Amino acid sequence: MELSELRSIFPGFTLEFYKTLLKTCKVVAFPPDQVILREGSYVNVIPLVLKGLLKVTRKEEDKEILLYYIGPGQSCIMSFSACISNTQSKIFAITEEDSELLLIPSGELAALMKKYPLLSNYFFSLYHDRYENLIKSIDLLVFKNFDERLLLYLKEKSRITGNPVIQTTHQEIANDMGTLREVASRTLKKLEKDNKISLTRNEIIIL
């Protein structure tokens, strides 16, 4: 990882901070479907996404629901919270595609935040963004029906990945939306009938 590349992905910090990050932290490449953090485990590292995409979910018995995605230039605020409070993780994080992460050791986080206040500002900004997303999610649950929510979910995933073609399965969508596969399949077919999407095998095209 070159210093200039790190600066372009995470702008706004000092030159000394970037050099410290590269000296203190590891840059690790992960394949798709690699578990980064499990619920109930303690956080050993805070991931900063350099390339790729992470999916953060919440699981309860046999149910799962999508919380948010983490793209380049972002980090996992739930991992940060668990690390700061020294509590067990409440989330499950997995790579959606080939990803490259800069991993901050949890033991170094407090010292880095104390020495570089801009790092604290960065995480507080993430808190604000996630709070805004939480409000939007509540609004969707209360005021939108499921087909509208599903279409917005597909559009958001397309925006994050930068691709109008979404490679996924009906079961994965059902997991992310916290519903049954049959409900997801039925609603996808309705959206296709309404000319909002086009369905192929394990692919969804936003029209």
Side-chain angles (χ1 to χ4, degrees), residues 34-205:
Q34 176 69 48
V35 176
I36 305 300
L37 182 63
R38 296 183 184 276
E39 286 187 57
S41 62
Y42 285 92
V43 177
N44 296 317
V45 293
I46 304 298
L48 302 181
V49 180
L50 303 173
K51 297 177 183 177
L53 191 68
L54 299 186
K55 181 169 74 171
V56 178
T57 63
R58 182 90 166 90
K59 293 185 177 182
E60 187 68 32
E61 296 179 352
D62 60 340
K63 294 183 178 180
E64 176 182 355
I65 190 167
L66 172 69
L67 295 180
Y68 50 83
Y69 288 103
I70 309 172
Q74 298 179 326
S75 183
C76 179
I77 200 62
M78 296 294 287
S79 298
F80 169 78
S81 177
C83 179
I84 289 296
S85 61
N86 192 32
T87 56
Q88 293 174 309
S89 169
K90 294 181 174 62
I91 56 94
F92 186 92
I94 188 171
T95 54
E96 277 275 284
E97 56 190 54
D98 288 318
S99 301
E100 194 171 282
L101 310 179
L102 188 146
L103 305 176
I104 302 177
S106 57
E108 302 287 341
L109 183 61
L112 286 172
M113 291 176 62
K114 183 177 181 180
K115 187 173 182 179
Y116 304 104
L118 284 175
L119 183 59
S120 297
N121 294 343
Y122 167 77
F123 281 111
F124 284 129
S125 176
L126 287 181
Y127 260 118
H128 178 267
D129 291 343
R130 293 306 173 200
Y131 176 77
E132 291 292 324
N133 289 337
L134 174 62
I135 297 300
K136 290 179 181 178
S137 296
I138 293 173
D139 286 345
L140 287 175
L141 286 171
V142 174
F143 301 113
K144 301 288 186 181
N145 56 39
F146 186 73
D147 57 337
E148 291 176 301
R149 287 167 49 207
L150 180 53
L151 183 59
L152 288 171
Y153 158 86
L154 294 172
K155 287 182 176 180
E156 177 65 9
K157 189 163 187 179
S158 173
R159 183 190 69 79
I160 290 171
T161 59
N163 192 341
V165 180
I166 301 169
Q167 295 183 335
T168 187
T169 65
H170 292 194
Q171 185 60 61
E172 288 171 342
I173 292 173
N175 291 342
D176 285 352
M177 300 292 290
T179 188
L180 299 175
R181 185 189 61 80
E182 292 78 6
V183 175
S185 297
R186 185 169 61 249
T187 308
L188 286 168
K189 290 177 182 177
K190 179 179 183 299
L191 291 174
E192 183 178 43
K193 184 178 179 181
D194 293 340
N195 295 318
K196 302 291 180 63
I197 63 173
S198 176
L199 298 175
T200 61
R201 184 174 178 81
N202 292 341
E203 285 188 348
I204 300 171
I205 302 171

